Amino acid sequence: MTASEFPLPDVGEGLTEAEIVEWKVAPGDAVAVNQVIVEIETAKSLVELPSPFEGTVDELLVGEGDTVEVGTPIIRVRGAGEAATPAPTAAQTETADAVADTQGTVAAAEGADSGSGAVLVGYGSKGGHVASRRRRAAGVGVTDHAPQAEAAAAAPKPRSLPVADASPVLAKPPIRKLAKDLDVNLAEVIGTGIGGEVTRDDVIRHAQQASVFRNITTPEQPTAREDRIPVKGVRKAIAAGMVRSAFSAPHVSVFVDVDATRTMEFVKRLKASPDFAGIKVSPLLVMAKAMIWAVRRNPTVNSTWTDTEIIVHHFVNFGFAAATPRGLVVPNVKNAQDLSLRELAQAIEQLTITARDGKLQPADMADGTITITNIGVFGMDTGTPILNPGEVAIVALGTIKQKPWVVDGEVRPRFVTTLGASFDHRVVDGDVASRFLADVASIIEEPALLLD
């Protein structure tokens, strides 16, 4: 590695690899220090990397879609006065390919134009071919004639842009990523933002409408009998965390039905309050406050097991499971016990938006102490959630709907929900688990207790 090569950094939390999502520059482009040059996807978030150098992009050393290890050089930048790296001649290319073929490390020469992208040993390749670093650089091709290769190296290299960026649609990169994840063609979306810019709500609305249309038309037959989805990024992290949690912490679950009528009335009043204007308010907010209140009365549910000791936290980093186009993530509100109801609502809303835009940082999901999963938004009554790794309690909020309920000896229609909770039985005994969930239920039944 030379001084002008930029290795993939560890962007936090000891991550070992990342996927190259989108290059923001191409060979021949001028770059400044701290200019964003690439967007990468780690196991936890999308991250934009700034350039540590000033100069001209000499070569992109890995391709979009490739997963590389931390420390691997990903781009070469040359300073003022430095000559560009010469493109290989046809003879050099053929010689290099012949040597590489005998070593079994690269594909045959006829696969050079397959667009397979860069790979690392042990990661495999796209399309069954492995390209050399020279062939995989964006904007640089290998031809059959040396004069053409030299002319291409000397000529200005136009910046290669994704098809989406070449369109006249106004949309920020996170919105384009969301559209790609939801299989939405941005050219078909009507933008409601300033100057016709496409917003996140525009993309989600279009995706929902398309989903409804697909449901009422004859579905197309798949062209293959099965799909194969690489296990990487968020999905890989989720799998590892859930397996570690399920097979290391002995789970025990408890459930309770709750009359949530007064919570629904409370939420309705908050939505009408000027103090909460422009802030998303839902039963999840009341549940969050209820859990924080119940933690004070049952502190061991807000703990961490370390094999040698139980660490009881006297602060609440309140986590909530958020379904995003990239998969399930669990951001947490730091020191939630110190926040007012309004501040808590704002914090949850901001983290939710950040999660859906794919912009959560590792710190947003680190050091959680207790978690809620709102499966009610999917119409589920209850469930047995798996603990978030490092925590000993998680609560599932089921759907809230009207049911017959006995009140003062009479059957009346009431808004009813079911709370389910899982605990690490190494830390939380059955009586503590039951008391904690009963305390949460008492707040859902009567939110006025929060004023006590």
Side-chain angles (χ1 to χ4, degrees), residues 282-292 317-323 328-333 348 369-376 385-386 388 391 393-398 419-421 436 440 444:
S282 72
L284 176 65
L285 175 62
V286 183
M287 271 293 298
K289 267 296 187 181
M291 289 175 61
I292 296 168
N317 288 349
F318 183 80
F320 58 95
L328 184 72
V329 294
V330 187
N332 63 79
V333 178
I348 292 175
T369 62
I370 193 168
T371 296
I372 184 174
T373 175
N374 186 9
I375 59 176
I386 294 179
N388 200 34
E391 301 173 15
I394 182 172
V395 178
L397 173 61
L419 306 181
F436 170 76
V440 173
I444 301 303

Side-chain angles (χ1 to χ4, degrees), residues 119-145:
V119 295
L120 295 178
V121 175
Y123 280 85
S125 63
K126 299 178 182 177
H129 298 287
V130 179
S132 68
R133 176 180 293 176
R134 179 62 55 195
R135 289 203 294 271
R136 71 195 179 205
V140 179
V142 177
T143 64
D144 295 331
H145 304 286

Side-chain angles (χ1 to χ4, degrees), residues 353-388:
I353 293 173
T354 304
R356 288 176 179 169
D357 288 343
K359 294 299 183 181
L360 285 176
Q361 298 302 304
D364 295 327
M365 294 171 279
D367 304 321
T369 62
I370 193 168
T371 296
I372 184 174
T373 175
N374 186 9
I375 59 176
V377 297
F378 305 111
M380 298 295 101
D381 291 328
T382 190
T384 54
I386 294 179
L387 294 165
N388 200 34

Side-chain angles (χ1 to χ4, degrees), residues 278-281 320 344-354:
I279 301 175
K280 182 177 177 58
V281 177
F320 58 95
L344 183 60
Q346 289 176 314
I348 292 175
E349 181 179 17
Q350 185 56 55
L351 281 174
T352 300
I353 293 173
T354 304

